[in-house]
Amino acid sequence: MAGAVHIAVPLLDMKRYHKLLAGASWMAEYGDPDTDDWEEFLYKYSPYHNIDAKRDNYPNVLLTTSTRDDRVHPAHARKMVKKLWDLGEGKNWSVFYYENIEGGHGGAADSKQEAFMTSLSYDFMWRALTSTIPKNE
């Protein structure tokens, strides 16, 4: 298992993706969750729906998104963080979240923000992989 994962501007809830922002335009590519597509294949790769609550360990996770992402709604990241926090209470994984209030689908509005997001990710990875990141207690 990986020691750390950075998930940036993610599409995670495949049951409701088509109800948020540009999601409806992706149904030809991903499938329609309001049809048999959900049971046949979408459920199998919907990260939000495949978190295993019985696991005691998951990698350290940093989720980042942008409030102004006009493609993938920030609700995907927000919901995933909430679910991981709730399921991870008292378990051995840490979940961190950063939402840039500017930017777009790339997560940053300019070079300064991009540099910040990159350093945030590298700092998280370094701390997670060298075991200097706090764990849930």
Side-chain angles (χ1 to χ4, degrees):
M1 179 187 333
V5 178
H6 174 204
I7 306 168
V9 291
L11 177 62
L12 301 167
D13 181 354
M14 299 308 291
K15 180 71 174 171
R16 294 169 198 84
Y17 80 90
H18 64 306
K19 299 184 184 300
L20 299 170
L21 297 177
S25 67
W26 308 330
M27 288 196 309
E29 181 178 355
Y30 291 123
D32 183 349
D34 292 333
T35 68
D36 290 341
D37 291 353
W38 176 249
E39 291 296 327
E40 290 178 16
F41 59 89
L42 274 170
Y43 178 81
K44 294 174 186 168
Y45 70 86
S46 178
Y48 182 77
H49 295 92
N50 283 289
I51 299 170
D52 185 353
K54 296 175 186 169
R55 288 185 68 152
D56 287 328
N57 290 302
Y58 266 110
N60 297 297
V61 177
L62 169 64
L63 281 109
T64 58
T65 192
S66 170
T67 304
R68 295 186 182 184
D69 187 338
D70 61 352
R71 294 183 201 148
V72 179
H73 198 286
H76 287 277
R78 293 171 186 159
K79 286 172 49 174
M80 183 66 113
V81 165
K82 173 71 168 121
K83 190 170 185 178
L84 287 169
W85 277 341
D86 290 347
L87 293 176
E89 191 171 334
K91 295 185 180 176
N92 191 28
W93 73 68
S94 295
V95 180
F96 299 89
Y97 179 70
Y98 180 80
E99 183 169 329
N100 186 1
I101 60 171
E102 297 179 277
H105 187 58
D110 56 30
S111 297
K112 183 177 178 182
Q113 287 181 8
E114 182 62 34
F116 172 78
M117 297 296 285
T118 300
S119 66
L120 181 72
S121 177
Y122 285 160
D123 183 63
F124 163 75
M125 288 294 193
W126 176 260
R127 291 172 186 257
L129 297 174
T130 61
S131 300
T132 58
I133 203 163
K135 291 285 188 185
N136 285 350
E137 307 219 352

